[in-house]
Amino acid sequence: MMTQVMVCLPRWIAVFIQFLLVFILRCSANDLTIDPKGYVVYCPCMGRFGNQADQFLGALAFVKSLDRTMVLPPWVEYGKPGGRPPSVQIPFDTYFQVEPLAEYHRVITMEVFMKNLAPKVWPIGKRKGFCYTYRQDSSCMMKEGNPFGPFWDNFKVDFDSYVEYGAGLNYEASSQNARKWNERFPASSHPVLAFGGAPGSFPVQEQNVPLHKFLVWSKFIEKQANDFIAKNIPEGPFLGLHMRNGVDWVNVCDNHIGKETNRHLFGSPQCLGYHFEHGQVTQEMCFPPRDLVKKQVRRRVKKMKAKVVFVAADADPMIAELTKMLEPYKVKVVQFDDHEPHVELAILAKSDHYIGNCISTFSAFAARERLMAHKTNSFWAVDNLLSESKPKKKRKIVGHVADEL
Ligand code: GFB
């Protein structure tokens, strides 16, 4: 219709109208309306991806309970594995779509918020940082150290003053707690609550696990995962493995296992239950011996008649050992050569069965995504196949004697 009208107009008028329309559309995209109920901004300044994702779910629930808009922070990444400075910020929507989250609650990426809304709703001179108690002289020191300083600097944020919220308020997503926050800090006088860390529990609380369904991989990540599967795993079923065996992990297992009972370690509630109803953490769960890994993989492969095993690992994916062991069964062992952790997680989520590490929150991310999709998970040293009795005799498979189950 519009095109038909334009055809009848002199060319210069049509061009002018087109230009005007583009201009109006651009302006309206920038002219986002301000949420009168306020915003929550925070730095995901603790841990790496798995930790940040755990806390994100709690933060999302908390912000929804306050009925403020959640500003989706970038993911904080560190230069080298295990390395600290420099940290970099990767926009939230590089890895995840914003729209599914918006179905749950009002959200906006930090980049859009800072560019389009902060000048009006959180202008320079009125930027307050919030903390439980001051760290020094009426200051929350929210920019001290890495990744704190680089995070806020990335958005050119300096804090003009700080607010100590203290006892009586916490990050629980309950209506009672929300009422207390909103009475003490109404959006009219405190339009933006800015926190130095995620306003959410670690590890994720049981009631917030289902919020994972709103974390949907971006097209960019999803495409890479699908392309990899199409090329390397043309026919299923396939088994996905996550192995956590780098030096940092060896230290975690050595320093924390067996010291105390009824104490969770990172992602352990996913195996032990939130109230230790399934037992305590063990060294085998944390750092399974190679023989146990092989036994568990072999049993699972046979049970599900897997054609391919996909391995993601931070350090040693055991490719050669697994390939040799599974050769008699004509099972291929593959990994994602680019070693991009998010694509690896997306591939793991699509496998027909998954074995992860009980303690790792990186493992937990894939396990949660699979739970939402009603897919089966097991964990190193936690697998009902391990307690099944051995078969009576060894079987011959194409000239090789297969290892005993
Ligand atoms: O994700 P994350 O918090 O999980 O930290 P954990 C582990 C990081 O190691 C990931 C890399 O974010 C990745 O960058 N990584 C782990 C992997 N597994 C893989 C993998 O299979 N493929 C690739 N490409 N990268 C805890 C930390 O790690 O480890 C704690 O969260 C602490 O803060 C502890 O540092 C030692 O829960 O496994």
Side-chain angles (χ1 to χ4, degrees), residues 48-51 242 244 249 252 312-314 339 341 344 360-362:
R48 286 175 282 166
F49 179 73
N51 284 198
H242 177 231
R244 195 71 168 87
W249 201 248
V252 163
D314 61 317
H339 204 54
E344 290 182 316
S360 166
T361 57
F362 188 84

Side-chain angles (χ1 to χ4, degrees), residues 46-53 81-82 84 202 241-245 247-252 266-267 311-315 336 338-342 344-345 348 357 359-364:
M46 190 203 80
R48 286 175 282 166
F49 179 73
N51 284 198
Q52 293 173 36
R84 299 311 287 175
F202 181 77
L241 310 177
H242 177 231
M243 296 182 190
R244 195 71 168 87
N245 48 22
V247 184
D248 64 339
W249 201 248
V250 174
N251 291 336
V252 163
F266 300 122
V311 193
D314 61 317
F336 185 60
D338 289 352
H339 204 54
E340 207 289 326
H342 308 89
E344 290 182 316
L345 281 174
L348 289 171
N357 185 303
I359 319 296
S360 166
T361 57
F362 188 84
S363 272

Side-chain angles (χ1 to χ4, degrees), residues 18 82 198 265:
Q18 260 176 353
L265 183 58

Side-chain angles (χ1 to χ4, degrees), residues 159-174:
F159 292 98
D160 303 295
S161 61
Y162 287 106
V163 179
E164 185 185 59
Y165 60 82
L169 294 181
N170 57 44
Y171 299 148
E172 197 187 296
S174 69

Side-chain angles (χ1 to χ4, degrees), residues 29-261:
N30 286 337
D31 188 25
L32 299 165
T33 46
I34 290 175
D35 183 352
K37 295 185 170 168
Y39 297 82
V40 173
V41 183
Y42 76 88
C43 170
C45 278
M46 190 203 80
R48 286 175 282 166
F49 179 73
N51 284 198
Q52 293 173 36
D54 257 52
Q55 286 199 300
F56 173 79
L57 298 179
L60 181 62
F62 170 67
V63 177
K64 185 176 168 79
S65 76
L66 297 186
D67 201 20
R68 286 171 174 259
T69 292
M70 177 160 194
V71 178
L72 301 171
W75 301 95
V76 174
E77 295 186 356
Y78 300 90
K80 297 193 180 80
R84 299 311 287 175
S87 60
V88 289
Q89 288 81 38
I90 310 296
F92 187 93
D93 54 359
T94 304
Y95 299 142
F96 297 101
Q97 296 180 34
V98 173
E99 294 76 14
L101 282 160
E103 281 171 27
Y104 175 68
H105 186 58
R106 303 185 305 284
V107 294
I108 183 170
T109 64
M110 186 131 178
E111 291 74 18
V112 175
F113 173 76
M114 289 308 298
K115 182 164 179 265
N116 300 297
L117 296 180
K120 293 172 216 157
V121 78
W122 203 40
I124 293 171
K126 293 197 170 173
R127 293 183 172 168
K128 292 178 189 169
F130 286 70
C131 57
Y132 182 76
T133 44
Y134 291 135
R135 286 175 62 200
Q136 197 180 52
D137 305 332
S138 304
S139 170
C140 299
M141 300 178 75
M142 272 167 56
K143 292 187 67 178
E144 288 303 301
N146 186 54
F148 308 91
F151 178 85
W152 298 108
D153 281 343
N154 186 42
F155 297 100
K156 300 190 173 48
V157 170
D158 285 312
F159 292 98
D160 303 295
S161 61
Y162 287 106
V163 179
E164 185 185 59
Y165 60 82
L169 294 181
N170 57 44
Y171 299 148
E172 197 187 296
S174 69
S175 51
Q176 201 188 8
N177 189 43
R179 196 169 345 102
K180 285 191 208 161
W181 274 95
N182 288 334
E183 274 168 15
R184 249 185 82 201
F185 304 113
S188 51
S189 52
H190 297 82
V192 178
L193 302 180
F195 297 107
S201 303
F202 181 77
V204 59
Q205 288 181 304
E206 194 168 15
Q207 65 271 26
N208 295 328
V209 169
L211 296 184
H212 194 109
K213 65 172 170 284
F214 299 106
L215 279 176
V216 178
W217 292 110
S218 65
K219 302 269 185 290
F220 167 68
I221 297 293
E222 188 71 9
K223 180 175 181 334
Q224 292 180 72
N226 287 340
D227 288 352
F228 175 86
I229 291 172
K231 187 165 168 221
N232 298 281
I233 315 176
E235 46 175 332
F238 86 99
L239 171 63
L241 310 177
H242 177 231
M243 296 182 190
R244 195 71 168 87
N245 48 22
V247 184
D248 64 339
W249 201 248
V250 174
N251 291 336
V252 163
C253 303
D254 284 352
N255 296 335
H256 296 283
I257 305 285
K259 302 256 178 349
E260 284 173 78
T261 48

